[in-house]
Amino acid sequence: MRFDRESARAPRSDCVGQLFDGGHVSSASESVNTDREVTITVCQDGPLLVRGPASLFDSEGHRVVRERATVALCRCGGTSIPPWCDSTHKKRKTKRR
């Protein structure tokens, strides 16, 4: 897994204006490809974008099914479809640092 601290600090163009579909970043033909590297992008005041073949598990250790190569995980805690982002963070007044 790769985490680029410099990239996390700067606003990313791929985080702005994303269209979310049940926490999945919209893409008609995107599927999980196990040959890719896993990357996690921290979106300023938004979700974590997880790209690549990462395995996700809930708090009880059950695998969370994902059908796309890129998913948006909620960081604000306000989502109605955990663990996926539903863009609730855009309605919240408090900004994360």
Side-chain angles (χ1 to χ4, degrees):
M1 181 169 23
R2 177 176 62 108
F3 180 77
D4 183 354
R5 192 176 299 265
E6 288 303 313
S7 296
R9 289 184 192 149
R12 297 276 307 254
S13 61
D14 58 351
C15 295
V16 179
Q18 290 284 5
L19 298 175
F20 294 101
D21 173 22
H24 298 93
V25 178
S26 295
S27 176
S29 63
E30 196 172 20
S31 64
V32 177
N33 179 350
T34 58
D35 294 337
R36 290 185 34 191
E37 178 181 60
V38 174
T39 61
I40 299 172
T41 303
V42 180
C43 296
Q44 184 176 359
D45 300 324
L48 295 174
L49 295 182
V50 180
R51 293 179 176 90
S55 296
L56 303 175
F57 298 89
D58 66 14
S59 60
E60 297 175 356
H62 300 109
R63 183 179 290 270
V64 176
V65 177
R66 54 182 283 205
E67 298 172 358
R68 298 183 185 199
T70 303
V71 293
L73 299 177
C74 177
R75 290 193 307 146
C76 77
T79 185
S80 61
I81 52 170
W84 315 121
C85 176
D86 67 359
S87 298
T88 298
H89 60 275
K90 293 180 181 180
K91 299 173 189 166
R92 298 180 76 137
K93 293 181 181 181
T94 307
K95 301 288 184 182
R96 289 184 170 260
R97 292 182 185 216

